[in-house]
Amino acid sequence: MIITIITFIIVFGILVLVHEYGHYFFAKRAGILVREFSIGMGPKIWWKRKNGTTYTIRILPLGGYVRLAGADDEDQDELKPGTPLTIQLNDRHEVTSINASDKTTLFQGIPLQLVDCDLEDELWIKGYVNGDESEVKLYHVNHDAMIIERDGTEVQIAPRDVQFQSASLPARMMTNFAGAMNNFILSLVVFVILGFTLAGVPTNSNQLGKVNDNSVAAKAGLASGDRITKVNDTKISDWTDLSTSISSHPGKQVTITYQRDGKSRQTKLTPKAIERNHQKVGQIGIMEETATSFAARINFGWQQFVQAGTLIFSVLGHMVTHGFSLNDLGGPVAIYAGTSQATALGVNGVLNFLALLSINLGIVNLLPIPALDGGKLLLNIIEAIIRRPIPEKAEGIVTMIGFLILLTLMILVTWNDIQRYFIR
């Protein structure tokens, strides 16, 4: 269990880190201020500030986020009139730090009861100093000033020129898309790495690799290197065709047409009937041809990536056409259960699981659902079509509705996963 938990944290952490780094990297390139880059949720256990970004690790290793200036984080540091603050000034009497938290103090800070402020456009703050309500003092705020929020998190203020909406539409679209893109890249890289960890990678050809001794195939005269071209009248072009044809004839005689030394030959055999996943399938004791070349390993990684993506799209399509069940979805509990199974298969099992999860996360995040990256991209596309920004209020309402739907769905999926995997 300990190994499973550690593996789960590492796998989940890699997925989140790679996804959020995509948003972070392209936001930085576009001149958008990344106020915070967090791994995990809940109370922070470590933080460091560098180049305008506060990097945090939080106690719950489930998820993570980047806070982009002007994008969904306005309420977190909203300062209301009457709020007691402490401010710190530089040599030019500009405010460089604003402390709204009672969890920390500022060295030589000036106590201020807030009257009003503008931290986006004109950059000023005014209030009563040291409780003296006879005079309102006005201070200019430095463009790169820091604010310590109520929970003690120190982030940079968000002037208008570095906010998300100030970037060009293509830059914002790329920033929204980059998280999923990074997950696709991670999946492909891991599948390729997996190809190099195997002794040999399957070629998906119709040529036989190993033929087991005393197997149905061996007794019928088949040998390693034979190329199967037909099963009965069905043409065989690759291993998928061959395995499907053999599996579908348990206990039934078939005619195998194959090539050896450039000559076409035939033999008859009867696949042995075995039970797999509560169904009878045919088996003749052959193994797929494998290759060890560099190109073959790279191609294996690409083929696995394509097959995984195709499978996910087919599942999503089935959910749309036939209706979905909660059993078709999985949350952190299902990922933990899958991690346990993958861990039992060793390093290769974990790598395969990581690659599958990564492409899954990328595709799901691009679904046109409000609050997901795909929903944000849809709003970007609408903005491009109507050639004007979508009103912030309307965008906020749509995003909030999507968030509430996702939150409800996540709760239902999590409870369903608990019942499926832990309640017998």
Side-chain angles (χ1 to χ4, degrees):
M1 182 178 290
I2 293 177
I3 294 176
T4 298
I5 292 173
I6 293 173
T7 304
F8 171 77
I9 292 173
I10 292 174
V11 167
F12 215 95
I14 291 173
L15 289 174
V16 171
L17 178 64
V18 168
H19 182 92
E20 298 303 333
Y21 183 77
H23 296 311
Y24 166 89
F25 179 80
F26 282 94
K28 286 276 192 179
R29 283 177 60 94
I32 301 167
L33 173 65
V34 181
R35 305 183 74 191
E36 182 183 359
F37 188 132
S38 176
I39 299 298
M41 308 295 283
K44 62 180 181 298
I45 57 177
W46 177 88
W47 69 275
K48 182 178 181 180
R49 184 163 53 85
K50 185 177 181 181
N51 297 330
T53 300
T54 300
Y55 302 88
T56 57
I57 295 178
R58 298 179 179 269
I59 196 167
L60 297 176
L62 300 175
Y65 56 87
V66 291
R67 282 176 59 187
L68 305 181
D72 306 324
D73 72 340
E74 292 89 347
D75 294 337
Q76 297 191 44
D77 57 353
E78 182 181 359
L79 300 178
K80 298 180 180 178
T83 302
L85 306 171
T86 307
I87 61 174
Q88 195 172 58
L89 308 178
N90 60 15
D91 295 339
R92 298 189 299 275
H93 294 280
E94 294 176 325
V95 177
T96 56
S97 293
I98 303 170
N99 183 13
S101 173
D102 56 6
K103 298 180 180 181
T104 185
T105 57
L106 289 177
F107 178 68
Q108 295 183 339
I110 300 173
L112 182 81
Q113 183 179 342
L114 181 68
V115 171
D116 199 2
C117 66
D118 181 350
L119 302 180
E120 292 189 342
D121 297 306
E122 297 183 10
L123 303 183
W124 51 263
I125 188 170
K126 60 183 179 181
Y128 305 119
V129 176
N130 290 317
D132 182 5
E133 297 187 8
S134 64
E135 180 183 6
V136 176
K137 287 199 172 184
L138 176 71
Y139 296 93
H140 293 289
V141 178
N142 185 275
H143 182 276
D144 299 328
M146 305 301 297
I147 181 169
I148 302 174
E149 298 173 318
R150 286 184 290 274
D151 67 352
T153 302
E154 185 177 7
V155 296
Q156 192 169 312
I157 65 170
R160 185 81 60 187
D161 63 302
V162 294
Q163 289 188 11
F164 183 77
Q165 290 297 332
S166 296
S168 67
L169 180 58
R172 284 183 278 135
M173 293 182 72
M174 191 64 222
T175 299
N176 286 331
F177 174 69
M181 180 188 72
N182 266 20
N183 282 127
F184 297 145
I185 294 172
L186 173 64
S187 178
L188 178 58
V189 169
V190 173
F191 273 131
V192 170
I193 291 174
L194 186 61
F196 282 91
T197 65
L198 301 174
V201 294
T203 60
N204 195 34
S205 74
N206 58 351
Q207 187 165 319
L208 302 184
K210 182 181 178 181
V211 176
N212 296 333
D213 295 337
N214 298 318
S215 64
V216 172
K219 292 177 180 178
L222 295 175
S224 175
D226 290 346
R227 188 176 296 276
I228 309 299
T229 57
K230 281 185 180 181
V231 174
N232 288 335
D233 294 326
T234 302
K235 290 185 177 181
I236 304 298
S237 59
D238 55 34
W239 186 261
T240 302
D241 292 342
L242 177 58
S243 59
T244 301
S245 296
I246 296 298
S247 297
S248 62
H249 291 87
K252 299 178 182 177
Q253 188 181 74
V254 295
T255 299
I256 302 291
T257 303
Y258 63 99
Q259 288 186 344
R260 179 187 296 173
D261 300 329
K263 296 180 180 180
S264 181
R265 307 185 183 192
Q266 282 190 340
T267 186
K268 296 182 184 295
L269 54 80
T270 302
K272 181 180 178 182
I274 64 168
E275 188 168 322
R276 183 181 298 161
N277 296 327
H278 307 294
Q279 288 185 334
K280 285 189 176 182
V281 296
Q283 188 178 81
I284 63 173
I286 56 175
M287 297 180 67
E288 188 172 359
E289 181 192 40
T290 59
T292 58
S293 69
F294 182 86
R297 295 180 188 278
I298 297 293
N299 184 62
F300 169 81
W302 171 252
Q303 291 297 328
Q304 292 296 109
F305 175 76
V306 171
Q307 289 175 18
T310 302
L311 176 61
I312 294 169
F313 277 116
S314 66
V315 171
L316 290 173
H318 184 271
M319 290 168 59
V320 171
T321 57
H322 294 80
F324 83 94
S325 161
L326 288 177
N327 289 332
D328 295 327
L329 305 174
V333 174
I335 294 175
Y336 176 83
T339 303
S340 177
Q341 297 171 4
T343 303
L345 298 175
V347 175
N348 284 353
V350 174
L351 287 175
N352 188 67
F353 187 59
L354 172 61
L356 289 172
L357 279 180
S358 191
I359 190 172
N360 197 311
L361 178 62
I363 291 174
V364 170
N365 256 281
L366 289 181
L367 295 178
I369 299 173
L372 292 181
D373 295 338
K376 296 175 184 177
L377 280 169
L378 178 60
L379 293 176
N380 292 150
I381 294 171
I382 294 174
E383 181 180 339
I385 293 173
I386 65 177
R387 297 186 178 181
R388 65 176 183 273
I390 297 174
E392 290 186 13
K393 186 175 181 180
E395 184 175 346
I397 292 173
V398 170
T399 301
M400 180 57 67
I401 292 173
F403 176 77
L404 291 175
I405 292 174
L406 286 177
L407 180 61
T408 302
L409 185 61
M410 186 171 68
I411 293 172
L412 293 174
V413 167
T414 300
W415 174 242
N416 186 64
D417 286 344
I418 292 173
Q419 291 181 308
R420 276 199 295 169
Y421 295 106
F422 298 106
I423 298 178
R424 302 299 181 184

